[in-house]
Amino acid sequence: DEPATAQPGIQFSDAGITVAEAASPVETITGALMQAQKKSAELMALGVSAEARFQRLAFQVTIGSDFFAEMAKLRALRAAIRLLALAY
């Protein structure tokens, strides 16, 4: 997998974000969005395009034992990140 290139001399690989477990799914998603926005701003300052920033974004999320609630949390996170990407 080749690292994404913003311009000559600027490269980055997957922008990994570890999402800390929070008291509620809403707080977990909010924390993830805040981290994604911060990482996006850092990469934007380096000249990385919006498309490249969000294509390489990866999340590590802790999940619990309630399968359906955790799947809903992950689906909500994906939808929220998609909306964040569209804002750029």
Side-chain angles (χ1 to χ4, degrees):
D1 217 0
E2 293 284 322
T5 303
Q7 53 185 269
I10 298 177
Q11 295 184 344
F12 73 99
S13 58
D14 291 331
I17 295 174
T18 301
V19 180
E21 187 62 28
S24 73
V26 172
E27 291 175 358
T28 301
I29 293 169
T30 302
L33 286 173
M34 290 171 55
Q35 290 181 61
Q37 192 281 327
K38 180 180 177 184
K39 179 66 77 174
S40 178
E42 290 170 1
L43 294 171
M44 184 171 56
L46 295 174
V48 178
S49 72
E51 182 179 356
R53 289 192 309 263
F54 286 99
Q55 280 181 346
R56 311 279 300 182
L57 197 60
F59 291 89
Q60 180 177 346
V61 181
T62 303
I63 59 170
S65 59
D66 185 348
F67 177 78
F68 294 106
E70 298 303 326
M71 289 307 297
K73 178 173 70 175
L74 294 175
R75 290 183 70 185
L77 176 59
R78 286 184 61 192
I81 293 298
R82 192 174 303 120
L83 290 174
L84 180 64
L86 289 173
Y88 285 92

